[in-house]
């Protein structure tokens, strides 16, 4: 039986010059007295969660399209040639996140997917947004087969804020061959619902006693506190043997969000992964927002080696940490890098893993490396180290050496 002890950041000595690094926020920002009064646990949701599915299976010319190359729609923006499939400007029920899915999870979408949304607040249409079409995050095939599930392929989801209208266009790489697009294309519109959980602070949890190098336990917003609807996911949990590698991701989403929106963004990603793509639960083990707040992702317990769906081929004995936002050209702030350092110092320490070390990992297939290939990987790696992707973005990937260094110091190494 495991022995448990409680760690407090305040009770631990500061290491070297890491005082500033330990000042990671442990609570979500509150939105004033009126919101605080509405944040009592058990308060009724203000808007119910919902998913709308709009088929993209017909060859639909968009307004203004002639089939003779790009032309303009009613707003003057260009549309794809007639060879593409699209959805004209359409009124919808409110939603905040969208993505495109298709029937076969093993099939890739070789083409371009672009969407735009109409703001509830202003009535204006957004610019066209290209969705990442590569199936970069997915459960491992063996776990899917064992559970008898049939997940769907899909783009990365994208947060667009409160919207009530949508337009989409999909074009194959070969614009003359729309039949090459995957079957069952559907535009998924997700509203995460509004709950009192958006304003609740992280809750302390017991921490198992482990080796000599367990970093301080950071504050973590557990699932119940960000409003996870546990009826969506499959019951039960799947665990691996240990946690050898922490894979760092970004959601390739907007950076222009308030941190009070982060719980709703996570609920929307969760719903997209489970309802739209057919996964057993949200793919990532943890989320980090731009204010440095850490959130529990996939269910099963934050101290446990929960099998995630984040780095195909290497989901076993690893954890996935997704930073909300896009960090290709945007440098992650210190709140983000400190939070990742704290989280990895603690979680890897529970399994006696040095954040600055490396280990041999054997691919289970479906990613960058063929099944059975052994690869030497850093114990804190980027998604691109295990999969052919730009994730977690050049700027966040460049920050990993300093994250490893700080995490090791936090472990007392």
């Amino acid at each position: 039986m495991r022995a448990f002890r409680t760690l407090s950041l305040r009770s631990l000595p500061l290491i070297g010059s890491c005082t500033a690094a330990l000042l990671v926020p442990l609570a979500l920002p509150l939105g004033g007295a009126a919101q605080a009064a509405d944040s009592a646990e058990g308060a009724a949701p203000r808007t119910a969660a919902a998913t709308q599915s709009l088929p993209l299976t017909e060859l639909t010319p968009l307004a203004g399209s002639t089939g003779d190359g790009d032309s303009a729609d009613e707003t003057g923006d260009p549309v794809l040639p007639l060879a593409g499939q699209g959805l004209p400007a359409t009124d919808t029920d409110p939603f905040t996140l969208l993505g495109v899915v298709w029937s076969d999870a093993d099939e890739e979408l070789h083409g371009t997917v672009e969407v735009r949304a109409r703001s509830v607040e202003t009535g204006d249409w957004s610019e066209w947004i290209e969705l990442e079409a590569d199936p970069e995050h997915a459960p491992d095939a063996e776990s899917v087969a064992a559970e008898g599930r049939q997940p769907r392929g899909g783009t990365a989801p994208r947060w667009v804020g409160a919207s009530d209208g949508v337009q989409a266009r999909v074009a194959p790489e070969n614009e003359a061959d729309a039949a090459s697009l995957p079957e069952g294309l559907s535009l998924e519109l997700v509203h995460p619902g509004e709950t009192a959980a958006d304003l609740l602070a992280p809750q302390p949890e017991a921490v198992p006693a482990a080796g000599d190098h367990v970093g301080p336990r950071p504050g973590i917003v557990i699932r119940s506190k960000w409003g996870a609807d546990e009826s969506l996911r499959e019951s039960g949990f799947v665990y691996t043997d240990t946690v050898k590698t922490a894979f760092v991701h970004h959601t390739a989403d907007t950076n222009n969000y308030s941190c009070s929106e982060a719980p709703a963004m996570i609920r929307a990603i969760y719903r997209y992964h489970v309802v739209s793509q057919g996964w057993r639960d949200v793919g990532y083990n943890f989320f980090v927002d731009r204010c440095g707040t850490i959130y529990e992702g996939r269910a099963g317990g934050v101290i446990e080696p929960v099998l995630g769906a984040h780095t195909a081929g290497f989901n076993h004995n690893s954890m996935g940490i997704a930073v909300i936002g896009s960090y290709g050209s945007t440098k992650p702030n210190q709140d983000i890098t400190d939070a990742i350092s704290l989280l990895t110092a603690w979680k890897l320490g529970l399994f006696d893993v040095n954040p600055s070390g490396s280990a041999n990992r054997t691919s289970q297939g479906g990613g960058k490396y063929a099944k059975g290939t052994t690869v030497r990987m850093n114990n804190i790696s980027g998604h691109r180290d295990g999969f052919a992707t730009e994730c977690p973005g050049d700027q966040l990937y460049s920050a990993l050496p300093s994250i490893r260094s700080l995490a090791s110091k936090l472990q007392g190494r």
Side-chain angles (χ1 to χ4, degrees):
M1 180 178 294
R2 291 179 176 174
F4 289 86
R5 58 191 170 93
T6 300
L7 293 180
S8 168
L9 229 57
R10 294 183 178 85
S11 66
L12 291 167
L14 301 183
I15 301 168
S17 60
C18 298
T19 304
L22 291 173
L23 299 179
V24 176
L26 300 181
L28 292 175
L30 296 180
Q35 286 183 316
D38 192 38
S39 68
E41 204 163 357
R46 294 182 290 275
T47 301
T51 302
Q52 304 170 67
S53 298
L54 304 178
L56 295 175
T57 54
E58 299 296 328
L59 197 63
T60 307
L62 300 179
S65 178
T66 63
D68 297 325
D70 285 353
S71 54
D73 67 7
E74 67 275 10
T75 67
D77 287 331
V79 296
L80 293 178
L82 189 58
Q85 296 177 189
L87 181 76
T90 302
D91 293 337
T92 68
D93 291 334
F95 68 95
T96 57
L97 176 141
L98 49 72
V100 170
V101 301
W102 52 91
S103 300
D104 188 349
D106 293 328
E107 188 173 2
E108 296 186 15
L109 192 157
H110 297 286
T112 302
V113 182
E114 293 184 313
V115 295
R116 62 178 181 168
R118 186 180 62 205
S119 168
V120 168
E121 182 177 354
T122 66
D124 295 332
W125 287 91
S126 69
E127 299 294 325
W128 284 101
I129 302 166
E130 183 173 351
L131 301 180
E132 294 188 7
D134 293 333
E136 297 180 354
H137 310 86
D140 287 329
E142 291 182 2
S143 65
V144 169
E147 295 165 5
R149 291 181 288 116
Q150 294 184 326
R152 305 177 72 187
T155 68
R158 182 63 181 257
W159 180 267
V160 292
S163 305
D164 60 4
V166 70
Q167 188 171 3
R169 56 194 191 188
V170 185
E173 288 179 349
N174 179 358
E175 292 186 352
D177 186 15
S180 66
L181 293 170
E183 293 185 359
L185 284 171
S186 173
L187 178 63
E188 301 288 293
L189 310 178
V190 178
H191 195 295
E194 299 170 353
T195 74
D198 294 350
L199 302 174
L200 295 177
Q203 301 296 305
E205 286 189 1
V207 179
D212 297 330
H213 297 290
V214 182
R217 195 265 196 222
I220 299 174
V221 180
I222 59 177
R223 288 172 63 95
S224 63
K225 301 307 179 186
W226 55 256
D229 180 352
E230 302 297 355
S231 69
L232 294 180
R233 66 172 178 85
E234 291 193 11
S235 60
F237 314 110
V238 180
Y239 299 104
T240 58
D241 303 318
T242 185
V243 176
K244 296 173 63 175
T245 313
F247 286 105
V248 178
H249 304 252
H250 68 168
T251 61
D253 214 321
T254 179
N255 295 319
N256 297 323
Y257 63 91
S258 66
C259 292
S260 62
E261 289 182 287
M265 297 176 79
I266 295 169
R267 289 198 304 275
I269 294 171
Y270 169 46
R271 194 173 184 88
Y272 181 77
H273 283 178
V274 176
V275 177
S276 299
Q277 291 193 268
W279 298 3
R280 66 173 295 116
D281 196 348
V282 70
Y284 307 109
N285 298 98
F286 296 94
F287 290 88
V288 175
D289 70 21
R290 66 183 185 87
C291 292
T293 304
I294 301 168
Y295 303 82
E296 178 185 14
R298 179 163 285 208
V302 296
I303 66 173
E304 302 292 347
V306 178
L307 176 66
H310 49 81
T311 308
F314 298 96
N315 286 318
H316 190 78
N317 290 345
S318 71
M319 68 176 182
I321 304 167
V323 181
I324 303 173
S326 183
Y327 295 93
S329 58
T330 300
K331 184 177 180 179
N333 62 37
Q334 186 175 338
D335 289 338
I336 291 171
T337 56
D338 285 356
I340 299 173
S341 297
L342 272 169
L343 178 58
T344 52
W346 171 72
K347 186 64 181 275
L348 292 178
L350 297 178
F351 298 91
D352 199 27
V353 173
N354 183 347
S356 292
S358 61
N360 287 332
R361 298 302 314 268
T362 300
S363 173
Q364 296 189 331
K368 185 176 181 179
Y369 299 98
K371 185 175 182 178
T373 304
T374 298
V375 185
R376 192 75 179 178
M377 286 187 174
N378 290 312
N379 295 340
I380 299 178
S381 288
H383 186 191
R384 65 177 62 178
D385 294 320
F387 198 93
T389 174
E390 295 181 1
C391 183
D394 289 344
Q395 295 295 319
L396 182 52
Y397 190 77
S398 296
L400 293 186
S402 62
I403 288 172
R404 296 183 192 112
S405 177
L406 177 55
S408 292
K409 290 179 181 178
L410 291 168
Q411 285 189 349
R413 297 183 187 270

